[in-house]
């Protein structure tokens, strides 16, 4: 299900920004930025954005921010850059300061370079914690594939079940 383009935005992203994306059926899904900047001491994602997408759908660009909770994540957290906003695939619509309840207690990402698991700061985890994404900047095609899988009700396990 391809994403629809909206008007692009060139803006500075902030932790707590709430954004929308519009799927082919014309409904909107909401997401939140939970971290901006480098990730970890190795700084593998300079300017990277750690974001969530929720299973909250709407016919317009607004939603009840109280519904954007970690138990309603549509897919695992992911890292991206400004490109989806600039091209109009994501659009920031609100801002809410992050509270501890807005953020997963433990982020987990599969790191293909070490064949292990790390958190958002590139610190090694002893074991996988769900939901687990990929420790990589998401390219648009890969993101759309994962979103399609999640919207179809198929689980997204850090892009491949093989990393489970």
């Amino acid at each position: 299900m391809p994403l629809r383009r909206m008007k692009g935005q060139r803006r500075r992203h902030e932790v707590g920004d709430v954004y929308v994306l519009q799927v082919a059926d014309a409904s909107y899904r909401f997401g939140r930025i939970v971290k901006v900047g480098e990730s970890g001491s190795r700084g593998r994602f300079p300017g990277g954005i750690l974001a969530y997408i929720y299973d909250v759908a709407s016919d317009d660009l607004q939603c009840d921010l109280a519904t954007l909770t970690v138990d309603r994540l549509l897919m695992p957290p992911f890292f991206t850059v400004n490109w989806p906003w600039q091209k109009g695939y994501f659009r920031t619509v609100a801002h809410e300061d992050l509270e501890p309840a807005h953020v997963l207690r433990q982020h987990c990402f599969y790191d293909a370079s070490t064949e292990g698991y790390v958190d958002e700061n590139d610190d090694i985890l002893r074991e996988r914690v769900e939901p687990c994404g990929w420790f990589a900047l998401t390219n648009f095609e890969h993101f759309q594939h994962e979103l399609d899988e999640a919207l179809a009700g198929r689980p997204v396990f850090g892009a491949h079940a093989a990393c489970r």
Side-chain angles (χ1 to χ4, degrees), residues 18-67:
V18 174
Y19 64 93
V20 298
L21 50 134
Q22 189 177 30
V23 294
D25 69 1
S27 67
Y28 294 97
R29 297 298 192 281
F30 296 87
R32 185 188 312 261
I33 294 174
V34 296
K35 184 174 183 172
V36 177
E38 292 189 7
S39 179
S41 58
R42 290 181 266 174
R44 289 199 255 176
F45 308 135
I49 298 166
L50 176 58
Y52 294 171
I53 293 184
Y54 302 92
D55 70 354
V56 176
S58 176
D59 291 334
D60 62 49
L61 295 171
Q62 300 303 316
C63 79
D64 177 2
L65 296 179
T67 64

Side-chain angles (χ1 to χ4, degrees), residues 103-117:
V103 182
L104 289 168
R105 214 164 27 106
Q106 177 69 68
H107 289 110
C108 179
F109 302 93
Y110 178 74
D111 181 2
S113 70
T114 64
E115 297 183 356
Y117 302 100

Side-chain angles (χ1 to χ4, degrees), residues 39-96:
S39 179
S41 58
R42 290 181 266 174
R44 289 199 255 176
F45 308 135
I49 298 166
L50 176 58
Y52 294 171
I53 293 184
Y54 302 92
D55 70 354
V56 176
S58 176
D59 291 334
D60 62 49
L61 295 171
Q62 300 303 316
C63 79
D64 177 2
L65 296 179
T67 64
L68 304 182
T69 59
V70 294
D71 62 328
R72 303 239 6 225
L73 290 179
L74 179 63
M75 54 191 263
F78 63 97
F79 289 97
T80 190
V81 291
N82 292 327
W83 187 88
W85 282 270
Q86 291 172 347
K87 295 299 180 185
Y89 292 106
F90 294 177
R91 183 158 190 80
T92 300
V93 294
H95 179 86
E96 179 181 37

